[in-house]
Amino acid sequence: MHAQALILLLTLCPLFHQRETTLGGAFIERTYVSNTEYRLSWGNVRFTRSLPHTFSSGPFDNPKFDWENPEYLCLRAECGTDCWYAVLLPLDEDADYVFYRRPLAYDTIGNHVAFPGVGDTLVTIDHIRTGLRRSLITWDRCGDQENYACIRRITFDAARCEASITWLACGSESHPEAYSTERTMLISLRP
């Protein structure tokens, strides 16, 4: 009878905790609920929060620490061919966490993230906390490829509150295969 109770107790209890502390003093903790899944918690000296779902401990869907600033921790994961995502975890008790599919670039000073748009929207840039969104809309991109494949470079200038996007353009709406050239556009990120 005691052996069955012990097995039941071990089945119900998490297998172990894995804690990672960042240079800024925040932490990320994985609490394993099975051999292959864990719950993700994060926080600092003021609070601890947890995401409501589990993650796989395998090669995919297993977010790893990428960067931090005074307001966010960024974790990034692969989820298959041409698939990646980031989860941004706020370092305060009130803000919501945010998931981004296929993030392309981050402004870690101004809290912006750039990700591929859909259709004629080549790139979308969100302010992580406010949700204020800016988009680069153009038909002039590199043919039938996914929009992220056209992007050559995205840079942020926090002092000027703008982003520079360079992409491969086809040059002609009626003959997109005719020739390709790089185009660059500045986008203001001011509210």
Side-chain angles (χ1 to χ4, degrees), residues 126-146:
D126 276 0
H127 187 274
I128 300 164
R129 184 170 299 275
T130 66
L132 182 64
R133 182 168 280 187
R134 300 283 192 257
S135 296
L136 171 57
I137 299 173
T138 180
W139 59 265
D140 194 9
R141 56 190 187 286
C142 60
D144 293 334
Q145 297 182 47
E146 293 276 348

Side-chain angles (χ1 to χ4, degrees), residues 72 98 100 111-113 115 124-134:
Y72 288 95
V98 185
Y100 286 100
N111 288 326
H112 293 93
V113 62
F115 54 96
T124 299
I125 299 173
D126 276 0
H127 187 274
I128 300 164
R129 184 170 299 275
T130 66
L132 182 64
R133 182 168 280 187
R134 300 283 192 257

Side-chain angles (χ1 to χ4, degrees), residues 115-125 133-141 147 151 164-167 183-187:
F115 54 96
V118 177
D120 288 344
T121 302
L122 184 64
V123 174
T124 299
I125 299 173
R133 182 168 280 187
R134 300 283 192 257
S135 296
L136 171 57
I137 299 173
T138 180
W139 59 265
D140 194 9
R141 56 190 187 286
N147 285 348
I151 305 299
S164 172
I165 302 169
T166 301
W167 73 98
R183 300 209 190 284
T184 300
M185 181 175 284
L186 291 177
I187 295 181

